[in-house]
Amino acid sequence: MGRLLRTYVSPIGLVFGRSFFPLFAIVIIVGAALWGPWVSLGVTVVAIATALRSL
Amino acid sequence: MIPEARDFPAPAALRPWRLLSNPQDWNCVIFHFICLTAYACAFWLYLHPEVAGITGPWSRIAFVLASAMVLGWISGIDVGVNFHNHSHRPIFTSQFLNRWFGRIWTFSGGWPSFFWEYCHVTIHHANLLSAADWTLPKHSADGKFENFQRYLFTHWPWRLSMHLWKDFTARQTLRRRSFRELAIFLALWSIPFWIDPVMAVWLWALPHWIANAFVMNSGMYVQHAGCVPKTPAKPVSHSTVFVSNLFNLTMFNIGFHSEHHDHPRVHWSELPELHERLKRDLIDGRAHVVPFGNYHAAFLLAGDDARQQGFAEQDSRYKTTR
């Protein structure tokens, strides 16, 4: 099980981790069609504020 | 590719049929294609407003603002960090692919690839913190940078264009090549304008301004603010090191900036290991190491004196005991 995690889960996690910001951007943009543009705008502002405060 | 990067030999173990110079470079390709997909999604929704429920002016403004901010954010990383890796260590084994992938890499960040490489490798890396490094903020001899906001709003594209014009028109070989690359860039960059000019202004040109002014320029500022040129007495005071794990995971390890400048040919995926090996030297050399990433550093340096003091503080794990 540990070997399986190291072989597959860890590299996949790294790919998602390294592409976190563009994936987040797609969620924000496409998400506007699901939950509306105001929610996307609000989440974006909160995300930028969080990055500036802690990243 | 600039000659320095183009002539860099492939690793000895490389097989001729391998596409990528390093298996980790798939992350760079994936990152860029996700960025292009994000632009495509934003364009499509803008052109089909009924799908996203953005038929009214205010809902459309909200959509454009949210999209432009996240597109600018990722384009800044895609060019300023991701393509940056390629400019030092071309990711493909084929020169043709390196050249053309480079061109379709930086156009979505508002740059011809050759221009960006020239600024970064020929100017910034070769002349770090000297008077000849016009990519950095203007600074005094003791390393004090000009005002953060002034650099953000005046550097790209205004000062950059002026410097590039001077450099490229001074030498015939550079002039010919730069005009060719600029023409290819303009052909690619103009595509969204042919689809819908208003959409292109808000979901293409605006994100590129955000990418350059707020992501790339602020990155350049914080990486070298308060630093001094490399000397035998101060060998590791030319860059700040950002050791936040989350920041380095999502930003191709660009936080290990002192290590990167001293060893620019080391692959981005190997920088954490290099950092561990050089850790003692960084501590003994009194390198400036902070526990956060570029974003919080920008927040601190954009503030008043009290806030800026927070940037000057050293990570407790990297304080010298001598």
Side-chain angles (χ1 to χ4, degrees):
Chain A
M1 187 63 185
R3 201 172 134 210
L4 188 75
L5 283 173
R6 273 194 301 278
T7 311
Y8 295 106
V9 179
S10 175
I12 290 169
L14 267 180
V15 169
F16 276 98
R18 283 177 178 146
S19 294
F20 171 77
F21 287 117
L23 289 170
F24 172 76
I26 288 182
V27 169
I28 290 294
I29 292 163
V30 176
L34 299 172
W35 49 63
W38 292 105
V39 176
S40 282
L41 181 60
V43 173
T44 302
V45 170
V46 169
I48 291 171
T50 306
L52 290 174
R53 283 283 177 178
S54 57
L55 194 59
Chain B
M1 286 293 107
I2 58 167
E4 189 193 356
R6 187 175 54 234
D7 298 339
F8 183 63
L14 216 60
R15 301 287 182 273
W17 43 265
R18 267 179 70 169
L19 188 64
L20 293 172
S21 305
N22 185 305
Q24 289 291 321
D25 288 333
W26 275 118
N27 289 279
C28 304
V29 177
I30 291 168
F31 190 102
H32 179 54
F33 278 115
I34 300 175
C35 287
L36 291 182
T37 306
Y39 273 103
C41 292
F43 291 173
W44 192 84
L45 285 172
Y46 183 92
L47 296 170
H48 299 84
E50 70 286 351
V51 177
I54 52 170
T55 46
W58 289 109
S59 58
R60 185 165 278 222
I61 287 170
F63 174 77
V64 163
L65 276 178
S67 302
M69 282 195 279
V70 290
L71 290 170
W73 193 351
I74 62 174
S75 293
I77 304 170
D78 195 28
V79 175
V81 183
N82 196 15
F83 174 77
H84 157 267
N85 300 328
H86 177 68
S87 73
H88 288 289
R89 296 260 314 225
I91 67 168
F92 295 107
T93 54
S94 152
Q95 299 310 328
F96 175 82
L97 273 181
N98 281 330
R99 193 166 51 246
W100 273 98
F101 198 81
R103 285 166 177 160
I104 64 150
W105 203 331
T106 54
F107 89 107
S108 57
W111 280 85
S113 58
F114 172 67
F115 287 30
W116 201 94
E117 282 181 21
Y118 179 81
C119 289
H120 187 73
V121 183
T122 308
I123 303 299
H124 178 54
H125 266 258
N127 306 288
L128 181 61
L129 287 162
S130 74
D133 185 1
W134 44 256
T135 64
L136 283 178
K138 292 175 182 172
H139 50 93
S140 56
D142 63 353
K144 189 164 172 54
F145 275 4
E146 66 179 310
N147 175 272
F148 181 80
Q149 285 83 357
R150 182 186 297 169
Y151 177 68
L152 257 57
F153 293 113
T154 57
H155 189 65
W156 184 94
W158 317 113
R159 280 186 202 166
L160 268 171
S161 307
M162 210 172 59
H163 284 293
L164 285 172
W165 177 263
K166 273 186 199 163
D167 282 23
F168 288 162
T169 52
R171 283 166 56 194
Q172 198 181 0
T173 48
L174 273 179
R175 186 166 58 224
R176 198 173 297 159
R177 180 158 186 207
S178 57
F179 279 130
R180 186 176 69 235
E181 294 294 335
L182 183 62
I184 294 169
F185 164 74
L186 288 174
L188 293 168
W189 196 74
S190 64
I191 293 169
F193 286 92
W194 293 107
I195 300 169
D196 185 323
V198 178
M199 175 198 77
V201 168
W202 298 116
L203 292 177
W204 187 242
L206 177 61
H208 295 175
W209 178 70
I210 292 170
N212 282 278
F214 294 101
V215 183
M216 285 190 255
N217 283 359
S218 72
M220 284 291 278
Y221 193 101
V222 302
Q223 283 160 351
H224 301 289
C227 296
V228 291
K230 187 174 180 171
T231 57
K234 291 187 171 180
V236 286
S237 299
H238 52 75
S239 310
T240 291
V241 181
F242 304 85
V243 292
S244 159
N245 288 333
L246 181 60
F247 177 78
N248 282 311
L249 169 70
T250 54
M251 298 284 285
F252 295 92
N253 297 318
I254 198 70
F256 301 113
H257 211 67
S258 177
E259 298 87 330
H260 167 63
H261 267 279
D262 286 339
H263 307 274
R265 296 288 172 81
V266 169
H267 193 263
W268 59 268
S269 64
E270 291 159 6
L271 283 171
E273 191 188 327
L274 179 66
H275 172 78
E276 284 306 315
R277 277 195 276 135
L278 299 177
K279 197 170 178 178
R280 194 66 252 168
D281 294 341
L282 291 172
I283 295 169
D284 292 345
R286 296 173 187 273
H288 183 215
V289 183
V290 292
F292 41 81
N294 285 15
Y295 302 112
H296 186 57
F299 170 76
L300 294 173
L301 286 171
D304 55 15
D305 288 349
R307 211 157 87 190
Q308 289 182 23
Q309 198 53 40
F311 177 72
E313 282 175 19
Q314 181 82 343
D315 186 309
S316 58
R317 295 164 294 176
Y318 291 82
K319 281 184 177 166
T320 179
T321 49
R322 280 185 243 168

